Amino acid sequence: GRDYIDQWNKVTEVLGTPPSDFFRQLQASVRMYCESQPRYRGKKWMDLFPDESFPNDTPDDKKKTLLARDLLQQMLQIDPAKRINVDQALQHPYVHIWFDASEVNAPPPPKYDHSLDEKKMSLQEWKRSIYDEVKNYVPRR
């Protein structure tokens, strides 16, 4: 949106106006403004994310599409209290397809060394450096 008011209007047109209990948690002036705006039902998730937005070549793809839509619906909630959190999202069946506990629980990567970024090299030297890096790459275990 052009500004926060326009953004609010765009979000509520798409997701729908939240229920009255949501407005009670807002500051009085914001609550008065929001409550004075037209109420929107919101768009249907199928219209927002049609089947064509996803690969649907197999029955398994169709199941993933339903799961993806469900996850998006849970993530795109105006009220943060009703929005899915990160831990819940990681356990959602759509994400869980690719979930790897060893990645989530892995130690943080080593601190990035910026010294390479600060080197003054010609284009040819950069190309050679990148080529050598790719050629000598050894995945961490």
Side-chain angles (χ1 to χ4, degrees), residues 40-103:
Y40 296 101
R41 293 184 71 137
K43 299 189 187 296
K44 293 180 181 170
W45 292 102
M46 184 70 154
D47 295 337
L48 288 172
F49 305 105
D51 285 344
E52 299 78 42
S53 301
F54 304 93
N56 277 298
D57 301 328
T58 68
D60 195 44
D61 286 342
K62 292 182 189 330
K63 181 180 177 188
K64 289 176 188 172
T65 295
L66 293 173
L67 292 172
R69 242 188 237 113
D70 178 67
L71 178 60
L72 287 165
Q73 183 175 4
Q74 292 184 56
M75 291 168 58
L76 296 174
Q77 294 293 318
I78 293 175
D79 187 346
K82 295 182 178 164
R83 196 176 303 141
I84 192 171
N85 67 37
V86 173
D87 292 326
Q88 293 166 326
L90 287 173
Q91 295 305 314
H92 188 278
Y94 182 74
V95 174
H96 210 51
I97 294 167
W98 298 281
F99 181 81
D100 181 351
S102 67
E103 287 179 350

Side-chain angles (χ1 to χ4, degrees), residues 1-14 33 37 40:
R2 294 180 309 274
D3 54 43
Y4 62 92
I5 292 173
D6 185 49
Q7 186 70 34
W8 171 258
N9 292 332
K10 288 182 183 320
V11 168
T12 55
E13 285 174 30
V14 173
Y33 171 78
Q37 295 305 297
Y40 296 101

Side-chain angles (χ1 to χ4, degrees), residues 103-136:
E103 287 179 350
V104 174
N105 299 318
K111 189 170 172 107
Y112 181 71
D113 178 9
H114 291 274
S115 63
L116 178 65
D117 301 333
E118 297 164 357
K119 285 185 178 176
K120 301 289 183 210
M121 293 194 284
S122 69
L123 181 58
Q124 283 307 110
E125 290 170 318
W126 274 112
K127 287 179 180 180
R128 185 70 201 177
S129 178
I130 292 169
Y131 174 80
D132 290 343
E133 182 73 22
V134 171
K135 186 176 171 190
N136 298 319

